[in-house]
Amino acid sequence: MGLTKPFAFMGSTADSGIGYGNPPYDQDLVAYYDFGDSVEGSWTGSATLTGGDTITDLSGNGFNSSLNAGSQTWTYETGTGKGVIATTSKAGGYFYMDAMTGSFTSFDANTFEFVGNIPIALTNDNLIFRFDQNNVSSGYSRMESNVQQYPSTPPKRIGLDVRTAQINQVNVGTINQDTGTGFFHLVYTAGQGETSKIYYQGSLLGESAGTMSATDTFEWLSGTTNAWFGTSNYTGGTFPAEIGVFRMYNSAMPASSVTDNYNFYSPQF
């Protein structure tokens, strides 16, 4: 299903987009947040975010997110890239997206794309997103990534768990990767007839051994889906870094487009 961004969200930058702008792969958007513009972007408030604050979905589909701040401090920083939301502590904070409704409840593919900066090297377990639909009558869809950066054991690595509504697992597992500090671009894809994939800094990092069934789907249903990014309610797993862009698609972004988007975003940080 192709989605077109409404003209109302084009603002004064109709051709290039808001903030960091529209990347080369800009189709099938479900939701996206861009923090590179403090006037027209997803956050236009003060320098400090508090629990209950709303960040705006710029796709036009209305999937805004609310901040559950936990016990940690969240800030808006204009000195990184064109602007980022940031936290440097781990105390259970996360952004909670409104549950999918209507035509957005059943997908044959998903892509999650994150763009940002890591100012201080991550340690231990860092959960960057979890979409988890647990309803025995309608399925058990799940996509989740842990950026695990333990000091010794296990090794520094990035993982992706994928489970369809039909309770079939197409996990990538964990792939060794030190995320260090500085700019990062992470993309996660899964779809019918394809392997699940992790892309890091524009290149394929790892993929699942098997492919997703041609008849399986992801179900993100209102009232039963935990749609979290920036972490989950797992206190020890907050992603303490800076996020400039988060984009969710209902298609599996191809490898060449991942590279194109990486090359689009990386010079802006």
Side-chain angles (χ1 to χ4, degrees), residues 139-207:
Y140 293 87
S141 304
R142 184 177 192 179
M143 286 188 70
E144 172 185 320
S145 176
N146 294 65
V147 183
Q148 297 180 336
Q149 301 289 290
Y150 289 91
S152 56
T153 302
K156 300 178 188 300
R157 59 194 188 177
I158 300 173
L160 176 62
D161 292 337
V162 177
R163 182 180 63 203
T164 68
Q166 292 72 28
I167 322 180
N168 292 318
Q169 304 216 29
V170 199
N171 300 326
V172 175
T174 54
I175 308 297
N176 290 354
Q177 180 62 56
D178 186 342
T179 56
T181 58
F183 171 76
F184 72 87
H185 182 248
L186 276 165
V187 176
Y188 306 86
T189 69
Q192 291 178 347
E194 300 192 28
T195 57
S196 303
K197 299 178 179 69
I198 303 172
Y199 295 90
Y200 175 71
Q201 307 298 58
S203 298
L204 179 65
L205 180 65
E207 60 187 316

Side-chain angles (χ1 to χ4, degrees), residues 46-236:
S46 65
T48 301
L49 287 75
T50 59
D53 280 345
T54 297
I55 57 172
T56 303
D57 169 22
L58 301 178
S59 73
N61 294 323
F63 296 122
N64 299 335
S65 286
S66 299
L67 175 62
N68 184 326
S71 303
Q72 64 201 75
T73 299
W74 297 78
T75 58
Y76 180 67
E77 307 290 340
T78 58
T80 301
K82 293 182 176 180
V84 295
I85 50 170
T87 187
T88 57
S89 59
K90 293 185 175 187
Y94 58 94
F95 288 92
Y96 192 103
M97 186 186 293
D98 292 343
M100 305 292 131
T101 58
S103 61
F104 296 98
T105 58
S106 181
F107 297 165
D108 57 16
N110 276 135
T111 294
F112 295 85
E113 179 178 30
F114 293 88
V115 181
N117 180 67
I118 300 174
I120 303 170
L122 302 175
T123 60
N124 301 333
D125 200 1
N126 308 275
L127 186 60
I128 191 167
F129 77 96
R130 173 185 286 169
F131 271 53
D132 190 6
Q133 200 288 120
N134 284 296
N135 186 317
V136 69
S137 64
S138 55
Y140 293 87
S141 304
R142 184 177 192 179
M143 286 188 70
E144 172 185 320
S145 176
N146 294 65
V147 183
Q148 297 180 336
Q149 301 289 290
Y150 289 91
S152 56
T153 302
K156 300 178 188 300
R157 59 194 188 177
I158 300 173
L160 176 62
D161 292 337
V162 177
R163 182 180 63 203
T164 68
Q166 292 72 28
I167 322 180
N168 292 318
Q169 304 216 29
V170 199
N171 300 326
V172 175
T174 54
I175 308 297
N176 290 354
Q177 180 62 56
D178 186 342
T179 56
T181 58
F183 171 76
F184 72 87
H185 182 248
L186 276 165
V187 176
Y188 306 86
T189 69
Q192 291 178 347
E194 300 192 28
T195 57
S196 303
K197 299 178 179 69
I198 303 172
Y199 295 90
Y200 175 71
Q201 307 298 58
S203 298
L204 179 65
L205 180 65
E207 60 187 316
S208 60
T211 60
M212 180 173 159
S213 168
T215 58
D216 276 13
T217 57
F218 297 102
E219 307 288 339
W220 310 123
L221 303 179
S222 177
T224 57
T225 298
N226 298 315
W228 296 316
F229 70 95
T231 183
S232 73
N233 62 348
Y234 167 38
T235 301

